Amino acid sequence: MYWPKEGTEIYGMIQVRLIKEDILAMYTVRTLSILHSKTKRKKHGFNERLVYQYHYTNWPDHGTPDHPLPILSFVKKSSASNPHDAGPIVVHCSAGVGRTGTYIVLDSMLKQICHKNEVNVYGFLRHIRTQRNFLVQTEEQYIFIHDALLEAITCSESSLSAECLSHLLKTSALPDHSHEHWKKLETHFQALTAFQPKDYNLVSANKPCNQVKNRSQQFIPVECSRVHLTPKPGVDGSDYINASWCLGFKKLREFILTQHPLTSTVFDFWQMVWDHNAQTVVLLSPLTPDSEEYCVFWPAEGETLDGENFKVKLIEESELDGTVSRDLTVQSLQDDCELTVRIIQSPVPEPLSDLPALFQLLSTVQQWHLEYQNGPIIVIDRFGGTEAATFCCLATLTKQLDYENHADICMYAKLYHNRRPGVWQTMDSYLLLYQALEVLSASKGVSLVPSPSPTHLQPNGYNIAVDKS
C-alpha cells in the first residue's frame, strides 16, 4: 500500500496525509494531501496538493466486473473529478496493463462517442499498445469493453428526458399510454428488464426438492446471487432458501431479499439469519394469524424455537408510532455464541401505497442498523418481490442522494432486476422510485432536477440530481 491507513506517512521526500476515506459498495474514494519536504513554503501557506484516489474494489485480476453499469459509473465519476487545470489522471492496477488498459479504453471511447459520434476500440487499443505493451490483457476484458460501450449507448438512447419524466410524474394517476412520453417509458422499461434468466441461472431454485420451498416460481433467486445456507451432509437442497443478495450504497451485500417464510421453511429462515449474522429483519408482508399463509415465524413470549444448532427466543415486543419491533436472541447450542435480532414490522399492510410511512420505516430501520452494521438487512415481503426491492432500492438511493446529491435510479433498478428478475413487475412499480424520491425531496425542502450531462451521454440512463438552491 502506498498511502497511509490513517494519519501521515513519509515516502522519501513526499509527505502523504489521509484526509478522508469513503468506502462504498463498489469502490473507495480517498482524499490525500501530499507535500514535498524540499520545496519552499508558499507566501500564504504550504505547497500542498490534494489527490483524489478512486479505488475500484470489485474487479478481479485478469477478469471483468459482474456488470458494466457500476464500472461505467465509476469511470464517469473518477474521470470527471479531475480538474481541467490538473495534470493527467494516473491509472494503475497490479501490473498496470489489464484492468488499467480497460479503464483507459472505456474512458476514451465514451468521450469519443460524445464528441465525434463514433467509436473505434480496435484502432485506439492498437495505438495505446505502442505506448505500453499488453494494455487490455485478456480476450474477456476486450469483449467487456464492447459490452460496456453497448450498455452505455443503449441506456443513453432509452433514457428519459426532463420533459418526459415531468409528464410521467404529473399524469401517473391517469396515464395515457398512447402518449409519446409513456411510449418512451415503455421502451426504457423494456431495456431495464431485458435480462431473462436461462435454465442454468436457476439450477438450484428449480430442483424438485427446492421448488416446494418457493411461494411463487415467478420470484426465485438466480444462481449467482442466491443466499447459501450451511448444507446438511447428504441432504440434497439443504443449502437452498428462496433469498437473494442485493447491493446497497455502502456494501455489496447490504440486503437479503426474501419471501415470507413458509411453515416448512421457518427453520431455514433462522438458519440464514444465523449463518450470515443478520441482526435486522424488515417485515413488509401482512401477518395472517388465523391462517398459515403468512404465519408468525418467531416464538411466542416464554417459548423457544429449537433448531438443530440454535434456539430462538423472544425477548421483548414494543410499539412506537404504529411500528412494531420485536427483539429476539438466537443462541448456539454448541457454545456461548448469541445473536441479537430485531424484527421491525411495517405499520401499514401495503407499504407502497403510503410513501411517507415507507420513508418513516426506512428511517427507523437505518437508525437501528447503525448499531449493528456487521450483517446484512433481511427484507421480507410476500414473495421477495416488488415491495422488498423498492424498500432496498430507496434505502440505497437516499444514501446516494445524501453523499453525491444525485441518484442513479436506472442503474440500481437494473442491477436489482438482474439479481432477482421480476421485482419490477410493471412500469408503475419502476416509476414509483421516481415518485418516492420526489416525495422525499419535498419533505426536505429541496427539488429534484435532471443531472446535467455535458457530454450528452449518460452511461447509467436517467439519473436525478438535487437542487438545493
Side-chain angles (χ1 to χ4, degrees):
M1 223 166 62
Y2 58 85
W3 64 90
K5 282 188 176 181
E6 58 182 24
T8 302
E9 294 282 353
I10 304 293
Y11 303 93
M13 291 183 288
I14 305 295
Q15 174 185 292
V16 183
R17 177 168 59 94
L18 178 64
I19 297 174
K20 187 171 69 165
E21 182 178 65
D22 295 318
I23 301 173
L24 310 180
M26 296 287 185
Y27 60 93
T28 298
V29 182
R30 298 182 183 91
T31 305
L32 304 165
S33 164
I34 62 171
L35 179 66
H36 198 294
S37 60
K38 297 297 183 181
T39 55
K40 293 181 180 179
R41 184 182 298 186
K42 286 186 176 180
K43 188 175 182 180
H44 302 290
F46 293 100
N47 188 18
E48 191 177 46
R49 298 180 191 172
L50 287 181
V51 174
Y52 299 98
Q53 184 201 55
Y54 284 74
H55 180 188
Y56 202 85
T57 51
N58 192 39
W59 192 340
D61 195 10
H62 300 287
T64 58
D66 297 332
H67 195 275
L69 281 177
I71 194 66
L72 286 169
S73 175
F74 174 78
V75 170
K76 177 183 174 184
K77 290 170 184 174
S78 57
S79 180
S81 70
N82 196 44
H84 294 296
D85 58 348
I89 297 175
V90 177
V91 185
H92 76 87
C93 51
S94 55
V97 286
R99 291 169 289 184
T100 296
T102 305
Y103 176 98
I104 292 170
V105 173
L106 281 175
D107 182 45
S108 301
M109 291 300 96
L110 289 170
K111 289 173 180 173
Q112 186 180 69
I113 291 169
C114 296
H115 291 104
K116 295 187 177 181
N117 203 29
E118 63 181 40
V119 61
N120 183 0
V121 177
Y122 175 76
F124 181 75
L125 183 55
R126 277 193 70 181
H127 168 67
I128 62 172
R129 275 194 161 201
T130 64
Q131 299 169 325
R132 183 173 177 85
N133 207 4
F134 303 121
L135 287 171
V136 183
Q137 205 167 10
T138 66
E139 182 180 353
E140 186 185 9
Q141 290 170 346
Y142 187 63
I143 293 171
F144 177 79
I145 290 170
H146 291 78
D147 290 340
L149 293 174
L150 178 61
E151 182 77 34
I153 294 167
T154 303
C155 285
S156 180
E157 288 179 346
S158 67
S159 63
L160 306 175
S161 66
E163 180 187 359
C164 176
L165 186 63
S166 176
H167 175 86
L168 295 173
L169 293 174
K170 287 177 181 177
T171 62
S172 58
L174 295 169
D176 176 10
H177 292 286
S178 63
H179 194 280
E180 60 175 318
H181 291 322
W182 283 94
K183 290 181 178 179
K184 182 69 174 177
L185 176 62
E186 185 177 359
T187 303
H188 179 76
F189 185 72
Q190 287 173 352
L192 183 90
T193 56
F195 170 69
Q196 297 299 321
K198 308 293 184 186
D199 288 343
Y200 63 81
N201 297 124
L202 305 169
V203 171
S204 296
N206 283 333
K207 279 186 177 181
C209 61
N210 290 334
Q211 285 185 358
V212 295
K213 303 174 187 177
N214 303 323
R215 282 187 176 271
S216 167
Q217 285 301 113
Q218 196 172 8
F219 298 99
I220 53 179
V222 293
E223 205 64 28
C224 64
S225 59
R226 77 177 180 92
V227 179
H228 290 250
L229 303 180
T230 301
K232 299 174 183 176
V235 181
D236 190 27
S238 59
D239 71 333
Y240 177 81
I241 185 170
N242 188 329
S244 304
W245 289 107
C246 280
L247 80 163
F249 185 61
K250 295 280 188 177
K251 293 181 181 178
L252 271 176
R253 292 185 164 189
E254 191 159 335
F255 302 104
I256 291 176
L257 270 66
T258 189
Q259 64 182 17
H260 192 105
L262 295 161
T263 306
S264 59
T265 63
V266 167
F267 284 105
D268 292 340
F269 173 81
W270 287 107
Q271 183 70 55
M272 176 174 70
V273 170
W274 179 258
D275 286 350
H276 299 287
N277 194 36
Q279 296 184 269
T280 306
V281 178
V282 181
L283 180 59
L284 301 178
S285 47
L287 294 174
T288 53
D290 299 329
S291 72
E292 293 188 356
E293 187 176 12
Y294 301 110
C295 61
V296 171
F297 53 89
W298 55 87
E301 191 172 355
E303 298 178 4
T304 59
L305 191 67
D306 297 319
E308 292 182 11
N309 302 307
F310 57 83
K311 64 179 180 180
V312 183
K313 183 179 180 181
L314 177 65
I315 303 300
E316 183 184 14
E317 183 173 315
S318 60
E319 182 178 341
L320 179 64
D321 297 330
T323 301
V324 177
S325 296
R326 298 175 181 90
D327 292 334
L328 304 99
T329 58
V330 185
Q331 297 174 316
S332 171
L333 298 179
Q334 277 79 39
D335 50 41
D336 296 331
C337 289
E338 184 176 283
L339 187 67
T340 302
V341 180
R342 175 169 288 185
I343 300 175
I344 302 174
Q345 186 176 342
S346 170
V348 292
E350 300 293 336
L352 299 191
S353 63
D354 189 339
L355 290 177
L358 181 61
F359 278 115
Q360 182 56 48
L361 179 64
L362 263 173
S363 176
T364 301
V365 171
Q366 289 174 346
Q367 285 176 17
W368 159 255
H369 193 64
L370 283 174
E371 301 178 37
Y372 300 96
Q373 292 190 20
N374 292 327
I377 298 175
I378 298 176
V379 185
I380 303 170
D381 69 13
R382 296 172 178 86
F383 304 107
T386 304
E387 291 92 344
T390 302
F391 180 92
C392 298
C393 205
L394 287 177
T396 301
L397 291 168
T398 52
K399 287 182 180 178
Q400 189 186 21
L401 276 173
D402 289 339
Y403 180 76
E404 297 182 341
N405 283 345
H406 77 271
D408 294 316
I409 297 176
C410 178
M411 181 182 81
Y412 282 111
K414 188 165 189 174
L415 292 175
Y416 274 51
H417 167 81
N418 288 4
R419 287 179 173 239
R420 195 164 175 89
V423 292
W424 314 119
Q425 288 286 293
T426 64
M427 293 189 295
D428 289 338
S429 64
Y430 171 60
L431 191 60
L432 184 68
L433 296 174
Y434 292 89
Q435 294 169 323
L437 289 185
E438 195 173 47
V439 169
L440 176 66
S441 63
S443 69
K444 292 185 174 182
V446 297
S447 59
L448 293 176
V449 296
S451 297
S453 182
T455 57
H456 307 292
L457 182 68
Q458 299 180 37
N460 300 318
Y462 193 87
N463 58 67
I464 280 181
V466 176
D467 179 10
K468 294 187 176 181
S469 58

